Amino acid sequence: MGEASVKTLETRTEVSSPPVTESETRPGDQRALLPRLRAPRRPRIWFEILLIGVSYWTYSLIRNAVPEQKAAALANADRLWDLERTLGIAVEQSVNHAVDSVTWLIVGMNYYYATLHFIVTIGVLVWIYRFHPGRYAATRMVLFATTGVALLGYYFYPLAPPRLMNGGHFVDTVLVHHTWGSMASGNLKHMSNQYAAMPSMHIGWSLWCGLTIFAVASAPWARILGLLYPVATLVVIVATANHFWLDAAGGMLCLAFGYTVSRAWYGSLPHRLPRHPVATDPHPATAAVLNRFRAAR
């Protein structure tokens, strides 16, 4: 019986699992981490508010930190205006003067330019967060990537808006009609980089809103309004002499980049992801922040 006991112990010792070292588990953990990072999860309101607030503050700080290269910006505006004339699309001045002659219309457009850019964008984010949480992270990534790449345009291609051109004879409608809202006019002009017109994020953000609503909304009237919003924004930015047509094209290119980044990360366009997230565990990045916070306490 003693021999049997010894043999049994020897057998157990032989078949026992060898110790696993940290270096042996690391590759597998890394392979498993990437799908976990990519998996859409239910967003957490506190994290989203913090992320959006910090991101917009950082964007504004970087945008306004770009040197105001006035001479280069004015020269680029002249060249862009000449290019539009060559292409036969240089009608911004005619639109600006025509709309400026109708006081109630141009005042309304001034307030549209100053407010809806933020209100509608935040509204769409809240809507996706509330009713399409599985698509929220991918949709938000499109917006963030679009806004981030726009900073390259502000730095490498300073551009004066039409209203600041030398001899352009454009009307700065905010100054003329004494309406508030433009960070680049009146007493607020020293708080914002006036020569960051290319690309137009009014178009980048409004088109993001419009495409998101069109792709996700079920009501036909909502989808139609979604498509009309960027069109109306395009008319407003031209009528108020804040942008050229080609600035809008730059905003569209930035948005295309944003969708490319989001699709590459999530493997699909935002509206094709499940409406409700499959993964229910905390996002690894959120968990890491919480763990560090708890450890600090």
Side-chain angles (χ1 to χ4, degrees):
M1 183 174 180
E3 291 180 351
S5 300
V6 172
K7 289 181 179 178
T8 303
L9 290 173
E10 289 175 351
T11 303
R12 289 178 181 173
T13 303
E14 291 173 357
V15 300
S16 61
S17 300
V20 180
T21 63
E22 182 181 352
S23 61
E24 292 173 334
T25 59
R26 190 173 298 160
D29 291 343
Q30 290 176 347
R31 286 194 297 270
L33 180 60
L34 189 57
R36 289 177 59 205
L37 288 172
R38 288 178 168 177
R41 286 170 172 77
R42 181 170 296 278
R44 286 165 169 73
I45 185 64
W46 67 268
F47 181 79
E48 293 304 321
I49 293 175
L50 178 64
L51 179 63
I52 292 172
V54 171
S55 298
Y56 185 75
W57 175 80
T58 304
Y59 163 78
S60 300
L61 185 68
I62 296 174
R63 182 182 187 272
N64 295 334
V66 174
E68 289 196 353
Q69 306 173 56
K70 181 176 180 180
L74 291 172
N76 286 337
D78 290 336
R79 282 190 286 266
L80 192 66
W81 185 236
D82 290 339
L83 175 60
E84 289 196 352
R85 285 176 174 173
T86 302
L87 296 174
I89 60 173
V91 297
E92 289 93 333
Q93 188 180 93
S94 299
V95 174
N96 174 239
H97 287 188
V99 178
D100 182 67
S101 64
V102 184
T103 303
W104 65 267
L105 181 59
I106 194 60
V107 168
M109 286 188 174
N110 285 340
Y111 288 125
Y112 179 113
Y113 184 88
T115 59
L116 292 191
H117 179 54
F118 301 100
I119 293 174
V120 177
T121 303
I122 294 173
V124 171
L125 276 173
V126 172
W127 173 57
I128 295 295
Y129 174 91
R130 177 66 179 83
F131 297 104
H132 301 268
R135 299 162 178 161
Y136 176 82
T139 304
R140 186 237 294 140
M141 180 176 282
V142 174
L143 183 64
F144 278 31
T146 298
T147 307
V149 76
L151 293 172
L152 297 177
Y154 302 148
Y155 186 86
F156 291 105
Y157 191 75
L159 181 69
R163 58 186 178 76
L164 293 181
M165 286 180 63
N166 290 327
H169 305 294
F170 285 90
V171 179
D172 188 335
T173 58
V174 172
L175 288 178
V176 170
H177 297 281
H178 306 289
T179 53
W180 59 267
S182 175
M183 293 294 291
S185 296
N187 295 328
L188 298 176
K189 64 182 179 181
H190 300 296
M191 298 173 60
S192 178
N193 184 358
Q194 297 189 81
Y195 303 107
M198 171 67 86
S200 169
M201 280 299 94
H202 270 75
I203 290 300
W205 288 16
S206 66
L207 190 56
W208 171 85
C209 292
L211 292 178
T212 299
I213 294 171
F214 180 79
V216 174
S218 56
W221 62 267
R223 302 180 74 190
I224 293 173
L225 286 178
L227 293 181
L228 288 178
Y229 175 55
V231 175
T233 301
L234 178 60
V235 174
V236 167
I237 66 172
V238 171
T240 56
N242 279 291
H243 289 284
F244 297 97
W245 296 121
L246 292 181
D247 298 345
M252 294 176 189
L253 289 176
C254 289
L255 182 63
F257 173 82
Y259 274 109
T260 301
V261 170
S262 181
R263 190 182 188 283
W265 180 253
Y266 288 100
S268 178
L269 292 173
H271 69 279
R272 293 179 178 172
L273 293 171
R275 180 172 182 173
H276 297 283
V278 176
T280 57
D281 57 316
H283 192 281
T286 306
V289 172
L290 288 175
N291 290 337
R292 286 185 176 274
F293 177 75
R294 289 166 183 162
R297 294 178 63 185

